[in-house]
Amino acid sequence: MECAGKRQGTRCTGPATRRCARCGAVAYCSVSHQIVHWPDHKEECGRLEQHMKHMDILNEFPFTFTQEATVQVCEKLETRCSVLKKRGVHQMGMWLYECCCGNSVISFDCSRLNNSWDLLNTFCPCTEPLSMISKHLTSWKEYCEWRSIPLDSPVSLLLHRPLTIYYATQVAGLGRWTSGISHKLHIHYLGPEKELLQLSVFSELHALFPNVHVHIELVGPAIPQHRDGEMIELCNYAHCLDRDCICKSSSETVSWDAHTSKPSTVTLQLRSGFYHDRYNDIAQDSSPHLIVAPNAGIAAYSSWLPTIELIKDMNIPAVFSDYCKEACHLGASCITGVTGCPLNIPIQLNPFRQPMVVEDSVLLLPCYSNCFLYGMSKWSV
């Protein structure tokens, strides 16, 4: 836990053990740092107090490892490493960057596509679902029942990325894509980082958007320059470990109805740089139906300001996510301040947030990847 006043000019005198008596969400190394930080903390303190009252809701997941991956990681009885080790996926393939160990071994310059779950087929969605989606999915439990995935499987730790895209189409009012009424869905996905080593998880969009051509432009400064413009077609689902599984022999996605339906396709294109700098290049090939910005941190990065202005001018629905509700509140305030537009997609808990808490958060409040969503379905003053 970091001292909330560590950047206030003087060095910390020790560990951050002195919690704010009102909100309990931040801690300090000393009384002096708490006093110096109060002018900054005063406005957020009441909001954080309310967030802390709903902390248990953030930790609610249906998985057998929920307590271990949430409360016990927060209390430092477990770590993200230990959670992954117990599932046999620690430092494996697409899982490499899901704990601190990956920071020292990963380079985004790695161009080889990791196409395996490193799990047996009973624990991962490596083939087509047994049936089409009959209703909008609104929880991890519904998703796992539909895909016949046991609740002790860790795949949700990676699948929160495509499931957040799926849910973003619903909150933005684009739920009709899931019915297959239209056959194209173009998404601009801003600020990918870990995703660059987990691109195969997006193959699950085949199942989530049947009979639809899904094209995603992944745009961000973390994409290496030498991969700029690279096109990736995800023809298959990510593979399991079973040698005799049909996922090894599938060469293309099979149509639901060969007579009336078109097979779904999922293509990704990588674009290096900030969105506002690259948009003119991208727009020549891809006009989006939706913009998704995962874990955006809008209030923390000034580079978002020209991007927000651009998105408003485009008048395209945009959904942002962040690690906690307070980050969303600050981001929403920035968006309103820049555009003059109040949010019409209010801040809301994402049912498909990653079910493992972030370690060493600045807040004592549990933080999760893609935890809350907010945005605009229509930009108007």
Side-chain angles (χ1 to χ4, degrees):
M1 179 70 189
E2 287 187 354
C3 172
K6 67 177 293 186
R7 296 179 182 86
Q8 300 299 315
T10 58
R11 289 187 177 183
C12 289
T13 59
T17 57
R18 182 183 179 86
R19 295 175 69 161
C20 173
R22 180 185 178 189
C23 71
V26 297
Y28 301 90
C29 66
S30 63
V31 175
S32 61
H33 267 196
Q34 185 171 7
I35 293 173
V36 171
H37 187 243
W38 175 245
D40 294 332
H41 180 57
K42 178 169 58 176
E43 182 183 350
E44 69 183 6
C45 188
R47 294 193 302 268
L48 291 175
E49 181 183 14
Q50 294 303 310
H51 301 342
M52 291 292 281
K53 290 179 179 178
H54 301 98
M55 184 169 61
D56 290 345
I57 297 175
L58 299 181
N59 294 334
E60 285 184 1
F61 298 99
F63 304 106
T64 59
F65 54 83
T66 294
Q67 185 77 1
E68 181 185 337
T70 59
V71 175
Q72 292 181 13
V73 172
C74 283
E75 295 176 349
K76 299 191 180 299
L77 300 174
E78 295 282 355
T79 64
R80 289 175 71 97
C81 290
S82 66
V83 173
L84 296 173
K85 284 178 181 177
K86 291 177 182 178
R87 268 99 222 149
V89 292
H90 185 239
Q91 295 190 18
M92 301 287 286
M94 294 192 293
W95 306 89
L96 272 171
Y97 204 49
E98 289 306 317
C99 66
C100 60
C101 299
N103 293 338
S104 61
V105 299
I106 287 202
S107 167
F108 287 137
D109 290 345
C110 177
S111 59
R112 185 178 65 86
L113 186 67
N114 290 309
N115 194 31
S116 174
W117 287 108
D118 291 295
L119 294 165
L120 297 176
N121 64 2
T122 54
F123 289 94
C124 59
C126 61
T127 59
E128 289 193 5
L130 298 176
S131 62
M132 288 183 66
I133 298 176
S134 59
K135 62 178 182 178
H136 289 315
L137 300 173
T138 59
S139 70
W140 278 120
K141 185 176 181 182
E142 288 180 358
Y143 169 78
C144 290
E145 288 176 350
W146 169 58
R147 287 298 257 144
S148 302
I149 296 173
L151 295 179
D152 57 345
S153 167
V155 291
S156 57
L157 301 178
L158 301 184
L159 283 172
H160 70 101
R161 303 192 192 285
L163 266 295
T164 292
I165 290 177
Y166 166 80
Y167 196 68
T169 65
Q170 295 189 38
V171 300
L174 302 179
R176 59 195 177 92
W177 299 114
T178 60
S179 67
I181 293 175
S182 177
H183 294 297
K184 291 183 180 179
L185 175 58
H186 288 194
I187 295 172
H188 289 182
Y189 188 97
L190 311 189
E193 292 182 351
K194 295 180 183 180
E195 292 91 336
L196 300 178
L197 290 160
Q198 301 170 348
L199 294 177
S200 289
V201 302
F202 291 101
S203 63
E204 185 62 8
L205 296 172
H206 281 296
L208 294 167
F209 297 99
N211 309 321
V212 174
H213 169 50
V214 180
H215 177 71
I216 302 179
E217 296 275 347
L218 295 99
V219 190
I223 295 174
Q225 187 62 43
H226 75 268
R227 299 191 70 181
D228 182 47
E230 181 180 336
M231 180 75 79
I232 300 163
E233 184 173 1
L234 300 177
C235 297
N236 305 321
Y237 292 96
H239 293 168
C240 68
L241 291 176
D242 296 51
R243 293 182 179 180
D244 57 350
C245 180
I246 61 171
C247 71
K248 303 296 191 303
S249 59
S250 299
S251 59
E252 61 182 358
T253 303
V254 180
S255 171
W256 290 102
D257 185 334
H259 298 290
T260 61
S261 301
K262 297 180 180 179
S264 62
T265 59
V266 178
T267 55
L268 313 175
Q269 188 153 24
L270 307 184
R271 306 280 190 169
S272 178
F274 292 112
Y275 189 61
H276 53 271
D277 292 329
R278 296 304 312 273
Y279 176 70
N280 288 336
D281 298 331
I282 299 167
Q284 296 177 13
D285 305 320
S286 171
S287 178
H289 300 107
L290 175 67
I291 294 168
V292 176
N295 301 317
I298 286 176
Y301 302 100
S302 60
S303 57
W304 272 112
L305 299 181
T307 292
I308 295 301
E309 292 175 339
L310 170 63
I311 294 173
K312 181 198 174 186
D313 292 341
M314 293 164 60
N315 198 25
I316 298 294
V319 176
F320 308 90
S321 79
D322 226 311
Y323 292 98
C324 67
K325 196 170 185 178
E326 180 62 15
C328 293
H329 174 84
L330 296 174
S333 296
C334 285
I335 292 172
T336 300
V338 171
T339 66
C341 300
L343 292 179
N344 53 33
I345 300 176
I347 298 171
Q348 56 195 277
L349 188 64
N350 177 13
F352 297 109
R353 62 197 179 279
Q354 186 183 43
M356 182 161 60
V357 76
V358 174
E359 288 180 303
D360 300 322
S361 168
V362 177
L363 299 175
L364 289 164
L365 186 73
C367 294
Y368 294 92
S369 182
N370 288 323
C371 192
F372 285 89
L373 305 177
Y374 64 103
M376 299 292 291
S377 59
K378 185 177 181 181
W379 296 85
S380 60
V381 180

